[in-house]
Amino acid sequence: LAAGHIFGMAVGLPLICFLTACGASGCYLMSQFVGSDTIREASATARAHLDSVRSAVSRERQASNLFIWLCTARLFPFTPNWALNIAAPHSGVRLGEFWWSVLLGLLPYNFVCLSAGTTLSSLAESDGSALSPRAIVGLSAGSIALAVLLKVR
């Protein structure tokens, strides 16, 4: 929201997508370097789940669908993003694939948040016509989109 207000859509969207991908990649790297020992010490059930994810990643890579699979996992947040960030390095996902999938997979979510920020910014800077049809439609669309995203998560 703040980036939409401060930078607007043209600068804010690429910036936020880039920063989101870098932040998630930082989590990926921390998990890769710190979490390896934890994975080795995990229960047999946890290792079995991770092995099934590894085989799914391998199948999708062989079918050249891994990037689409990773983007879809970001686009439809059935799995929390933090879990994807932590599990990716241990399931055979390469950092480059991961970074690009976060950048593009979270684009719709970032767009909705920035749109809400730019709408609020334009409302704050308006000449007092806060109830203009454009402002009402923009705020309503942003509110509905955010409500749906929050309900899904």
Side-chain angles (χ1 to χ4, degrees), residues 65-117:
N65 291 333
L66 181 60
F67 184 74
I68 294 168
W69 189 69
L70 291 170
C71 284
T72 303
R74 295 291 177 171
L75 185 62
F76 300 108
F78 297 121
T79 305
N81 284 326
W82 62 267
L84 292 170
N85 297 346
I86 292 170
H90 308 289
S91 57
V93 177
R94 295 182 200 114
L95 182 59
E97 297 167 327
F98 179 81
W99 191 88
W100 282 104
S101 69
V102 173
L103 182 91
L104 297 175
L106 288 178
L107 184 91
Y109 173 77
N110 291 335
F111 178 80
V112 168
C113 290
L114 282 163
S115 293

